[in-house]
Amino acid sequence: MFSIWSLSRLNRKLLLIIIAGVFLMSCLLIIAGGKNGPQGAIIEMEQKYITSAAMIGHLDQDGASSIVMPGVPLMVAGLTKLFGDDGQALTAYRLIQCLFHAFSVYLVFVLSRYMFNTSTALVACIIYALYWPAYGVVRLILPDTTMQMLMLMLVCAVIGALEFKQAGWYTAAGILTAFVAYFNLQALLYPVLFIALWWIYRSPWKVIAGGTLLITIGYLLVLSPWWLSIPLFEKLMYLPGPWNIAPLWLDARFIEGNPIIHLYRSVFGGTSTKYAGRFDDEEARRVVQSALDFVRLFLLYAGVAGLIWSVWKYRLKRQLPVLLTLLYFIAADWLVPSLDGTGFPYGVFILMYTAFLADKALIYAHKTSIHRSSGRHRKYVR
């Protein structure tokens, strides 16, 4: 769908520097994590994933089934088997998160370039590289970073399927949908979006029929351990299918309380509590947290403004895979709030529209500067 070698030498170097910088900064923050880590509810959420991972490694023991989605426990359990030590496994998990965080920069570039242009894509990468909440998540034993990368890959696969109509892209879309579901419930019905996308892209019936079959095959292949009742996956009962969404919906609403408040917190405030406690002094912690929250909210609100402008003024068709994905997960989060309270990484999609707004502002400023310069030049000639 996109080759980095199609970029100019300067743009290619800039993109690679941003990716490398994000990876190194993520690793340094893990190394320099110190004792002042996450507090309260975040520790409880991390412990749920770690406990579930330990449960996977001791299938012979009786006990309650997992109460979290299985993606993180499976990763941690696999790393524990590989390294033979819980501490090393958790460190490896954090380093893998660093890789996923850096790779997300490339995916942000690909999607922004598809929707808009190369300059906007580079601005999007820079903004994402400066978006501090993403660094805070990397060092936590939570699903956010992995889920974000998988969601970006999923949208890329959807675009590839729509543009190239190739079997591999449709199969990848089904597989990635199921993998996202390993980390959060709401992804299960994501393939329904293809109905709208096929209609808008005017896909022929032959492509629709073949695409539906391939998406279904990839989807069921990844979810097959639950269909086959393999003991390991049976213990991880919280990977649900559409057949038991209703009781989970009721449980989640009881846990989360007001769904409107939860929805707003997921988009604009859900990550705030994950980064408190970095400073011993409470006053310093409050000041720094307020400053960081201001930057975060400014970028997100700017992204909402950019989204409205782009839908109103820009080519809508090429935005639809990203836009419908964003709207789908926002709607799904209202209908079925996240059981673990982490919300979804909506920010990465909104930041692409922040970049669109920033790029338009830069273009306007440049044109205004040229106009003023030419005006002064004409005045001087006269």
Side-chain angles (χ1 to χ4, degrees), residues 157-382:
V158 169
I159 292 172
L162 294 170
E163 292 286 354
F164 303 114
K165 303 177 177 63
Q166 295 175 349
W169 287 112
Y170 278 108
T171 305
I175 290 173
L176 287 167
T177 298
F179 274 129
V180 175
Y182 272 43
F183 295 88
N184 235 308
L185 163 69
Q186 288 87 333
L188 284 170
L189 300 180
Y190 180 86
V192 173
L193 292 184
F194 270 101
I195 297 174
L197 291 170
W198 277 325
W199 179 71
I200 293 168
Y201 277 75
R202 299 181 180 180
S203 300
W205 283 106
K206 183 178 179 181
V207 171
I208 294 174
T212 302
L213 178 62
L214 291 167
I215 290 171
T216 304
I217 290 173
Y219 186 89
L220 294 179
L221 181 65
V222 177
L223 296 179
S224 61
W226 279 266
W227 293 92
L228 297 174
S229 298
I230 295 174
L232 164 63
F233 294 88
E234 282 294 294
K235 258 195 179 264
L236 297 169
M237 72 174 191
Y238 268 82
L239 184 88
W243 55 89
N244 60 0
I245 278 183
L248 284 173
W249 178 75
L250 294 174
D251 290 343
R253 281 184 175 273
F254 176 77
I255 293 170
E256 293 295 335
N258 190 319
I260 301 298
I261 294 175
H262 169 79
L263 177 60
Y264 178 85
R265 190 177 71 247
S266 296
V267 180
F268 297 107
T271 58
S272 294
T273 58
K274 292 180 183 177
Y275 318 103
R278 304 298 181 194
F279 298 88
D280 292 324
D281 184 79
E282 185 175 347
E283 182 64 21
R285 181 166 63 245
R286 185 185 64 81
V287 171
V288 172
Q289 188 68 46
S290 297
L292 292 174
D293 279 342
F294 173 79
V295 173
R296 174 177 59 83
L297 289 173
F298 176 81
L299 292 174
L300 292 177
Y301 287 142
V304 173
L307 188 155
I308 295 171
W309 186 5
S310 67
V311 170
W312 180 38
K313 286 288 189 179
Y314 210 67
R315 50 190 180 189
L316 181 60
K317 182 178 178 180
R318 294 177 74 88
Q319 298 179 54
L320 282 176
V322 166
L323 190 58
L324 289 179
T325 298
L326 175 63
L327 295 177
Y328 168 84
F329 281 109
I330 288 176
D333 199 31
W334 185 85
L335 293 171
V336 189
S338 170
L339 286 172
D340 58 14
T342 59
F344 283 91
Y346 301 121
V348 69
F349 295 111
I350 297 175
L351 292 179
M352 296 180 196
Y353 289 98
T354 305
F356 172 79
L357 188 68
D359 189 57
K360 292 298 181 184
L362 290 172
I363 293 172
Y364 176 79
H366 181 65
K367 287 182 178 179
T368 302
S369 176
I370 292 176
H371 178 72
R372 289 176 178 174
S373 297
S374 62
R376 287 194 297 267
H377 178 70
R378 286 195 299 267
K379 184 178 180 179
Y380 176 76
V381 170
R382 289 176 183 176

Side-chain angles (χ1 to χ4, degrees), residues 67-87:
I67 58 172
V68 295
M69 298 300 287
V72 174
L74 286 171
M75 290 178 66
V76 173
L79 291 169
T80 302
K81 287 286 186 182
L82 181 62
F83 292 102
D85 179 80
D86 292 346

Side-chain angles (χ1 to χ4, degrees), residues 68-106:
V68 295
M69 298 300 287
V72 174
L74 286 171
M75 290 178 66
V76 173
L79 291 169
T80 302
K81 287 286 186 182
L82 181 62
F83 292 102
D85 179 80
D86 292 346
Q88 292 181 4
L90 296 179
T91 300
Y93 179 84
R94 293 184 176 100
L95 291 175
I96 290 172
Q97 298 287 91
C98 294
L99 285 172
F100 290 169
H101 185 203
F103 184 56
S104 294
V105 176
Y106 173 77

Side-chain angles (χ1 to χ4, degrees), residues 89-169:
L90 296 179
T91 300
Y93 179 84
R94 293 184 176 100
L95 291 175
I96 290 172
Q97 298 287 91
C98 294
L99 285 172
F100 290 169
H101 185 203
F103 184 56
S104 294
V105 176
Y106 173 77
L107 297 174
V108 165
F109 180 88
V110 171
L111 292 175
S112 300
R113 187 172 187 258
Y114 175 79
M115 290 195 297
F116 305 117
N117 51 55
T118 300
S119 63
T120 303
L122 288 171
V123 173
C125 291
I126 293 171
I127 290 174
Y128 177 71
L130 298 175
Y131 188 63
W132 65 265
Y135 294 95
V137 173
V138 165
R139 68 184 299 267
L140 303 178
I141 310 300
L142 292 177
D144 298 60
T145 301
T146 303
M147 186 168 60
Q148 174 184 269
M149 183 198 68
L150 290 172
M151 289 172 67
L152 291 169
M153 291 177 66
L154 174 58
V155 180
C156 289
V158 169
I159 292 172
L162 294 170
E163 292 286 354
F164 303 114
K165 303 177 177 63
Q166 295 175 349
W169 287 112

